[in-house]
Amino acid sequence: MIREHAYAKINLALEIVRKRDDGYHELKSLMIPIELKDELIFTKGVGLNFASNVAIADNSIIKVYEVMKNRYNVKEGVSISLIKEIPVGAGLGGGSADIAATIRGLNRFWQLNLDSKEMRKLSIELGSDTLFCLYNSPAIITGRGEYIEFINSEMKFEHITLVVPNYQTSTKEAFKHVTFYQHDNEKFEQIKKSFIENKRDDLKDALYNDMLDANFILHNESRLYFKALQTQGLKPHLSGSGSVIYFLDLNQDELERLRELTPSNYQIIKTKQL
Ligand SMILES: C[C@@](CO)(OP(=O)(O)O)[C@H](O)COP(=O)(O)OP(=O)(O)OC[C@H]1O[C@@H](n2ccc(N)nc2=O)[C@H](O)[C@@H]1O
Ligand SMILES: Nc1ncnc2c1ncn2[C@@H]1O[C@H](COP(=O)(O)OP(=O)(O)O)[C@@H](O)[C@H]1O
């Protein structure tokens, strides 16, 4: 039996650079992995037996199995159980994390001995942000996530609070509504510098997400919630295309304020940087 953990991510900064000819958008993002995770268990099976505690149509894990089985001419089957804890369509990268965990898991289970170059190639081919999820280390990703620059830093967020609204955001829909902002390159470089030099307050004050307005267009409820939180002195941030809203370093008083302002059908999850 082999077990793999698929960790979620949050985007501390997310910039949309341009639309590419293949329809995807070129991004620049500083991401950190968090402790919230799915679990994948690999045991012996005939063909593929796949089970999950959450029903997801066309689960990406099945695609990964098919590609790897065919590419490496594997005769053996496998049973994969997914225990999903990462909310779906939340901007936490759960799908990408599961793809990366399946690549790692099948490589071990089938003893394929793939080298890191091959693992990277597979992950880039099978999803966006998947390369990041292969390593789970703070990094700047560019392109569609196919370029990665790891960041060495003492910075560690021990108190991350996630609010999961009662609506999901389709990444595809969100990209249809994005605004292209003209950013000064200096802005992102400053965030990177603050992260490397562990200047926590500078970093927290500078965070931005180019997908926030698209999220507001899709969910007016999100716009109103952000406004209410900001009016009460809280600093909400959107992760990825949403819908999750996260907070860094909330103290007890701020956490209580957050609870009061949050609709009862939203979920609050306390986690930390991995
Ligand atoms: C935007 C990001 C930033 O971290 O966050 P999420 O909120 O989704 O996690 C990700 O790059 C998302 O990754 P993921 O959700 O896996 O996207 P995909 O399934 O590859 O793409 C879904 C659809 O979104 C659009 N898309 C996605 C990524 C990208 N760089 N440009 C795009 O235009 C495309 O229309 C694509 O068909
Ligand atoms: N294993 C998986 N986990 C999550 N979503 C998956 C998975 N396989 C396929 N999907 C599809 O990918 C879409 C994006 O899901 P997810 O990765 O959770 O959100 P996000 O891209 O916002 O972080 C979902 O709508 C879902 O249909």
Side-chain angles (χ1 to χ4, degrees):
M1 192 261 269
I2 277 176
R3 189 190 305 271
E4 281 287 340
H5 290 150
Y7 292 100
K9 57 83 183 167
I10 56 172
N11 304 73
L12 292 181
L14 175 58
E15 197 166 310
I16 301 169
V17 180
R18 65 177 180 97
K19 190 167 180 179
R20 308 197 313 198
D21 293 341
D22 64 3
Y24 276 86
H25 292 75
E26 198 91 18
L27 308 177
K28 185 153 75 168
S29 184
L30 170 57
M31 307 206 290
I32 56 169
I34 57 175
E35 284 195 347
L36 179 69
K37 64 178 187 300
D38 295 343
E39 193 170 285
L40 283 84
I41 295 166
F42 302 79
T43 51
K44 280 189 190 308
V46 179
L48 172 67
N49 307 309
F50 178 69
S52 171
N53 62 334
V54 174
I56 296 170
D58 301 324
N59 202 303
S60 308
I61 290 173
I62 298 170
K63 169 99 187 290
V64 180
Y65 159 83
E66 282 164 357
V67 168
M68 289 180 72
K69 187 176 172 64
N70 291 334
R71 187 159 307 171
Y72 307 114
N73 204 12
V74 180
K75 302 289 173 236
E76 213 185 313
V78 65
S79 291
I80 307 177
S81 285
L82 169 66
I83 301 145
K84 197 142 189 74
E85 295 288 334
I86 306 172
V88 176
L92 295 173
S96 308
D98 290 348
I99 293 172
T102 308
I103 295 173
R104 292 194 305 265
L106 288 179
N107 181 43
R108 288 167 62 206
F109 188 79
W110 286 333
Q111 298 181 325
L112 298 172
N113 294 318
L114 303 181
D115 61 18
S116 64
K117 193 173 164 208
E118 185 70 16
M119 302 267 282
R120 286 169 74 105
K121 197 171 139 228
L122 262 179
S123 64
I124 290 166
E125 179 185 329
L126 290 165
S128 303
D129 285 353
T130 318
L131 189 56
F132 174 85
C133 297
L134 203 55
Y135 298 106
N136 294 308
S137 184
I140 290 170
I141 61 104
T142 44
R144 224 188 100 200
E146 61 268 45
Y147 304 104
I148 192 160
E149 179 190 347
F150 295 106
I151 306 193
N152 252 324
S153 169
E154 298 289 303
M155 181 82 78
K156 187 104 181 190
F157 288 100
E158 298 289 344
H159 299 282
I160 300 174
T161 310
L162 309 175
V163 174
V164 189
N166 66 338
Y167 51 84
Q168 295 182 1
T169 302
S170 148
T171 305
K172 201 180 181 74
E173 282 307 307
F175 272 107
K176 283 185 193 160
H177 293 92
V178 290
T179 312
F180 293 89
Y181 298 97
Q182 293 295 324
H183 291 291
D184 179 352
N185 193 39
E186 191 52 32
K187 193 171 164 180
F188 196 91
E189 286 305 311
Q190 208 49 51
I191 287 183
K192 178 178 166 185
K193 192 162 177 274
S194 305
F195 194 85
I196 292 170
E197 293 175 359
N198 201 4
K199 293 191 173 141
R200 207 178 182 85
D201 291 337
D202 288 356
L203 178 89
K204 281 164 37 184
D205 282 345
L207 302 185
Y208 64 103
N209 182 338
D210 280 357
M211 300 200 80
L212 185 61
D213 285 332
N215 187 268
F216 287 167
I217 291 168
L218 293 175
H219 312 286
N220 196 42
E221 196 173 334
S222 172
R223 187 195 300 273
L224 299 174
Y225 183 57
F226 258 74
K227 189 100 193 268
L229 293 163
Q230 285 163 338
T231 307
Q232 291 301 316
L234 295 171
K235 289 187 179 159
H237 304 283
L238 186 75
S239 185
S241 56
S243 52
V244 152
I245 296 145
Y246 71 86
F247 300 82
L248 301 172
D249 300 335
L250 287 187
N251 61 32
Q252 202 50 40
D253 173 55
E254 289 167 327
L255 189 59
E256 271 159 34
R257 233 178 302 154
L258 174 67
R259 288 209 170 101
E260 280 163 21
L261 291 162
T262 301
S264 59
N265 54 1
Y266 287 17
Q267 193 191 356
I268 297 180
I269 299 173
K270 288 174 78 179
T271 185
K272 55 170 83 158
Q273 186 177 335
L274 190 63

